[in-house]
């Protein structure tokens, strides 16, 4: 008996095809009057009843559960409300990324809405990425005490800062921690009022809100039934949607999905805030519809660029504080320049990483790569560079920037490897000076001499927990799409599944045909014209010109990807964006 190895694509990946029951597809199709492929995608995402599917297709802020049952929220509201009444000094400390920044701005805005003069009573602070690193530190607490701060609110940081919150309490500072960087059931600081649905004893159903989403929930509870409160909350979702999408929290979550959908509606209607309007302009989003991908690839990176290049997002907060369009435009142009600089540094670092990976044996399931900050391993860019390594090699990757004897690291992972659980497990005896993050992304720092120990420990742990095929990339197709059924109405029907992101990926289908034409675009992209009888389709495979020789004319291929509408110079056309291609048998 012969045994056949699974057939791999040109990129080395395996494909699987979801096959929901035909009667279930028919039931949803008829109940909701939707295209069968839309029904197929819904079932593949676990939405099997008409009620579940209908709610998913119509995301609305009513799908965000009332925040008041959240553990410690009532106490946090009391602390902030009392501080507002007594005009006590409040300081908001936010992380230097998009989630922390948008959460900080959200809280400042709601306090202004409540009538607090923020310059007099509410200050803010963003740690410097390079000088201070991630999270709360004793210097932040000491400065707050020296400034007479009475209430310290952290956003997107603080949930592992047991020592710092103990210091704050000893200084007479009341602490409120709004964070989501913890695994379910982890111990949270006892010296702060922690608002985090993942903590022990919290039955709140929405566990996957980003920190900015939690800040928005705080704003919702603070505003209560105030006049114009609902309209103000809807306006806040413009920023919260950017932070939510950029922080890679699941968009299968009804609350996250509703916040992002409402934020997109608001962004597409325009903004009265000069800073946000200027940001949309430099991102090239003033003259065309804004989609979820724009949050992650145009707006989020520009906000993050300030923290990556300048070390802090104070410039972003100042942008949103701009009073005139001219002031906002100048600040937005500076932010855009930081993003351009970030892109150049990132390209150079990724080249170094690829050369390092290619030049040394890589038997380890987790790549641990480190270099000196002065040699281009920029502390602000190691995280996004790690993402590129995972994208290329489908291995978890930890990339570290070494400065003054400390390795400042950022990690990205694959779905089968929970990164924050890994760091918690291997760091129980004090391996790290600091760490925090999510299953897919985390930050940490440790003495440089302990890097070999980190590499040994995390790979030993990975070998224990990873299944044998975990390092083989697997793509899942939602179904097959005959070439003749690739139409504009189908793409418009599939758009009902938006917004797409983590937990709700773009639908992927398998398209079959012969290659009738092939072109290389801009020396890097591959364009194919696929044919099947009388039907034709334009296929684009971005950044994959290296496979051109394996895809000659008349070759019969299977393309895994998604249909898309391209608008160029006023002309609308249909195209199929390839994720992967394999030669047909």
């Amino acid at each position: 008996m012969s045994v056949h190895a699974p057939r791999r694509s040109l990129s080395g990946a395996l494909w699987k095809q979801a096959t929901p029951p035909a009667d279930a597809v028919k039931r949803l199709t008829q109940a909701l009057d939707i295209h069968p492929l839309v029904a197929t995608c819904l079932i593949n995402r676990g939405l099997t009843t008409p009620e579940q599917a209908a709610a998913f297709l119509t995301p609305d802020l009513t799908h965000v559960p009332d925040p008041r049952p959240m553990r410690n929220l009532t106490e946090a509201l009391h602390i902030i409300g009392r501080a507002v009444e007594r005009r006590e000094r409040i300081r908001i400390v936010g992380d230097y990324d998009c989630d922390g920044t948008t959460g900080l701005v959200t809280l400042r805005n709601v306090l202004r809405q409540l009538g607090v003069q923020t310059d007099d009573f509410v200050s803010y602070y963003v740690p410097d990425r390079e000088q201070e690193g991630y999270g709360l530190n004793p210097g932040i607490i000491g400065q707050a005490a020296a400034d007479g701060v009475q209430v310290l609110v952290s956003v997107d940081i603080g949930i592992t800062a047991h020592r710092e919150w103990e210091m704050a309490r000893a200084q007479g500072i009341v602490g409120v921690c709004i964070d989501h960087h913890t695994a379910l059931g982890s111990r949270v600081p006892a010296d702060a009022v922690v608002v985090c649905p993942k903590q022990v004893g919290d039955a709140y159903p929405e566990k996957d809100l980003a920190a900015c989403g939690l800040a928005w929930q705080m704003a919702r509870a603070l505003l209560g039934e105030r006049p114009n409160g609902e309209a103000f909350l809807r306006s806040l979702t413009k920023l919260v949607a950017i932070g939510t999408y950029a922080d890679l929290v699941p968009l299968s979550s009804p609350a996250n999905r509703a916040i992002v959908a409402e934020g997109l509606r608001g962004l597409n209607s325009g903004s009265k805030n000069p800073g946000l309007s200027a940001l949309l302009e430099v991102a090239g989003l003033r003259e065309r519809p804004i989609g979820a991908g724009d949050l992650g690839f145009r707006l989020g990176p520009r906000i993050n660029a300030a923290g990556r290049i300048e070390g802090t997002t104070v410039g972003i907060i100042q942008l949103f504080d701009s009073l005139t369009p001219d002031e906002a435009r100048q600040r937005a142009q500076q932010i855009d320049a930081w993003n351009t600089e970030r892109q150049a540094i990132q390209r150079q670092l990724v080249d170094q990483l690829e050369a390092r990976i290619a030049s040394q044996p890589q038997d380890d399931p987790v790549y641990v790569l480190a270099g000196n900050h002065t040699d281009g391993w920029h502390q602000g860019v190691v995280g996004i560079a790690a993402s590129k390594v995972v994208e290329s090699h489908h291995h978890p990757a930890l990339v570290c920037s070494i400065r003054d004897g400390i390795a400042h690291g950022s990690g990205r992972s694959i779905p089968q490897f929970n990164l924050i659980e890994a760091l918690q497990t291997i760091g129980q005896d004090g391996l790290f000076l600091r760490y925090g993050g999510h299953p897919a992304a985390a930050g940490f720092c440790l003495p440089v001499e302990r890097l070999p120990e980190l590499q040994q420990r995390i790979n030993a742990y990975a070998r224990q927990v990873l299944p044998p095929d975990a390092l083989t990339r697997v793509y899942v197709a939602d179904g097959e799409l005959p070439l003749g059924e690739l139409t504009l109405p189908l793409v418009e029907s599939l758009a009902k599944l938006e917004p797409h992101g983590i937990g709700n990926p773009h639908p992927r289908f398998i398209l079959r045909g012969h290659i009738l034409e092939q072109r290389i675009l801009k020396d890097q992209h591959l364009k194919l014209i696929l044919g099947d009888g009388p039907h034709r389709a334009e296929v684009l495979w971005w950044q994959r010109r290296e496979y051109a020789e394996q895809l000659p004319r008349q070759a019969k291929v299977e393309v895994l990807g998604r249909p898309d509408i391209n608008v160029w110079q006023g002309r609308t056309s249909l195209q199929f964006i390839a994720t992967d291609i394999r030669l047909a048998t």
Side-chain angles (χ1 to χ4, degrees):
M1 181 180 72
S2 62
V3 177
H4 299 283
R7 188 157 60 100
R8 295 179 182 261
S9 67
L10 296 185
S11 71
L14 296 175
W15 298 3
K16 293 182 179 179
Q17 184 172 327
T19 53
D23 60 336
V25 173
K26 184 178 180 180
R27 186 164 57 249
L28 276 193
T29 300
Q30 294 177 342
L32 301 178
D33 191 24
I34 54 178
H35 193 285
L37 283 181
V38 176
T40 297
C41 292
L42 288 166
I43 295 169
N44 290 344
R45 284 149 184 76
L47 302 153
T48 56
T49 70
E51 294 76 18
Q52 289 175 323
F56 189 86
L57 294 174
T58 56
D60 185 82
L61 292 181
T62 57
H63 299 163
V64 186
D66 185 337
R68 287 172 294 184
M70 204 180 300
R71 186 176 187 188
N72 294 336
L73 188 80
T74 299
E75 186 177 356
L77 293 173
H78 174 70
I79 291 167
I80 294 173
R82 183 180 60 192
V84 169
E85 288 177 7
R86 296 179 179 179
R87 293 298 189 258
E88 295 177 347
R89 295 190 181 277
I90 302 171
R91 177 159 296 168
I92 307 170
V93 182
D95 191 20
Y96 42 62
D97 71 353
C98 189
D99 184 18
T101 303
T102 54
L104 187 158
V105 172
T106 295
L107 285 182
R108 286 184 80 223
N109 284 344
V110 76
L111 289 174
R112 282 176 172 158
Q113 186 73 5
L114 293 173
V116 179
Q117 297 300 316
T118 55
D119 292 340
D120 295 333
F121 298 103
V122 179
S123 58
Y124 67 87
Y125 187 82
V126 180
D128 187 286
R129 181 191 291 265
E130 295 187 10
Q131 301 302 319
E132 299 174 84
Y134 171 81
L136 290 180
N137 61 67
I140 294 174
I141 305 301
Q143 188 61 56
D147 293 341
V149 170
Q150 293 154 288
V151 176
L152 186 70
V153 183
S154 72
V155 185
D156 204 32
I157 55 175
I159 205 160
T160 60
H162 299 267
R163 178 184 60 160
E164 285 77 9
W165 288 120
E166 183 180 358
M167 290 175 58
R169 182 185 285 272
Q171 297 272 17
I173 298 172
V174 179
V176 176
C177 174
I178 303 170
D179 201 355
H180 66 139
H181 290 110
T182 189
L184 283 169
S186 295
R187 188 172 68 90
V188 300
D191 293 291
V193 176
V194 177
V195 177
C196 173
K198 294 178 182 176
Q199 66 182 300
V200 173
D202 196 330
Y204 190 71
E206 280 288 355
K207 303 295 186 185
D208 293 317
L209 285 164
C212 60
L214 291 171
W216 185 83
Q217 287 281 63
M218 290 278 292
R220 182 181 172 191
L222 283 166
L223 288 172
E225 303 297 325
R226 288 173 180 264
N228 302 319
E230 183 178 347
F232 182 71
L233 283 169
R234 289 186 183 276
S235 72
L236 288 178
T237 61
K238 298 185 186 76
L239 277 184
V240 178
I242 301 171
T244 295
Y245 192 98
D247 215 54
L248 304 179
V249 292
L251 289 192
S252 52
S253 148
N256 288 335
R257 183 170 170 78
I259 288 169
V260 171
E262 181 62 33
L264 285 171
R265 283 190 282 267
L267 287 167
N268 278 294
S269 298
S271 174
K272 295 178 181 178
N273 180 279
L276 184 53
S277 293
L279 185 64
L280 294 174
E281 185 172 350
V282 297
L285 297 174
R286 289 293 296 274
E287 304 298 331
R288 69 171 183 79
I290 300 171
D294 296 315
L295 305 180
F297 296 103
R298 288 178 178 264
L299 297 174
R302 284 172 168 81
I303 294 175
N304 278 325
R308 297 185 189 282
I309 301 303
E310 281 296 286
T312 175
T313 50
V314 168
I316 298 293
I317 299 166
Q318 292 172 341
L319 169 69
F320 296 137
D321 281 345
S322 298
L323 298 177
T324 67
D326 285 344
E327 179 187 0
R329 193 175 299 111
Q330 290 178 9
R331 287 178 170 157
Q333 288 169 350
Q334 175 61 73
I335 289 161
D336 200 47
W338 287 333
N339 190 52
T340 300
E341 183 179 353
R342 185 272 305 171
Q343 290 172 324
I345 295 170
Q346 175 189 319
R347 283 192 294 269
Q348 294 170 4
L349 178 54
V350 169
D351 287 345
Q352 289 195 62
L353 292 173
E354 291 295 346
R356 181 81 64 87
I357 291 169
S359 66
Q360 61 190 36
Q362 286 293 341
D363 299 327
D364 288 341
V366 181
Y367 292 166
V368 179
L369 304 156
N372 290 315
H373 182 89
T374 52
D375 294 332
W377 295 62
H378 193 290
Q379 188 175 329
V381 180
V382 290
I384 198 165
S387 296
K388 296 297 181 183
V389 171
V390 176
E391 188 179 312
S392 299
H393 299 276
H394 199 66
H395 279 242
L398 309 182
V399 182
C400 303
S401 170
I402 300 171
R403 296 186 68 172
D404 302 322
I406 303 296
H408 302 270
S410 190
R412 299 294 185 270
S413 196
I414 58 177
Q416 300 92 329
F417 190 67
N418 187 315
L419 192 53
I420 189 62
E421 284 187 1
L423 297 185
Q424 286 174 332
T425 301
I426 69 172
Q428 290 179 356
D429 62 350
L431 174 66
F432 302 107
L433 300 173
R434 285 190 301 274
Y435 71 91
H438 314 282
F444 58 91
C445 64
L446 73 167
V448 67
E449 62 269 15
R450 301 196 74 172
L451 275 173
E453 191 177 351
L454 168 63
Q455 182 169 3
Q456 186 276 326
R457 286 192 188 189
I458 199 163
N459 277 290
Y461 174 81
R463 290 186 179 97
Q464 289 179 349
V465 302
L466 282 176
D469 60 349
L471 300 179
T472 298
R473 192 186 305 275
V474 178
Y475 292 118
V476 178
D478 283 295
E480 297 187 10
L481 180 60
L483 216 57
E485 294 183 22
L486 180 58
T487 64
L488 287 172
L490 172 63
V491 180
E492 291 165 355
S493 295
L494 291 170
K496 296 175 182 177
L497 297 165
E498 296 175 353
H500 297 298
I502 300 296
N504 179 36
H506 283 280
R508 286 188 179 131
F509 304 102
I510 298 173
L511 201 66
R512 292 184 174 86
H514 289 86
I515 298 175
L516 304 181
E517 298 178 30
Q518 182 207 92
R519 287 176 57 197
I520 295 173
L521 306 178
K522 296 184 179 179
D523 202 35
Q524 54 185 331
H525 312 303
L526 202 54
K527 177 180 176 179
L528 307 174
I529 302 299
L530 220 60
D532 180 19
H535 305 295
R536 301 287 184 272
E538 179 183 283
V539 174
L540 293 175
W541 201 8
W542 303 114
Q543 308 285 344
R544 288 295 181 266
R545 69 155 294 170
E546 69 267 26
Y547 297 117
E549 292 184 3
Q550 300 178 60
L551 296 169
R553 290 184 61 183
Q554 297 306 316
K556 187 176 181 180
V557 295
E558 298 172 343
V559 182
L560 177 70
R562 61 181 177 86
D564 190 38
I565 295 175
N566 181 42
V567 180
W568 175 249
Q569 295 182 340
R571 178 175 170 267
T572 299
S573 62
L574 191 63
Q575 57 189 15
F576 196 78
I577 307 299
T579 300
D580 204 5
I581 297 179
R582 67 186 182 191
L583 298 173
T585 54

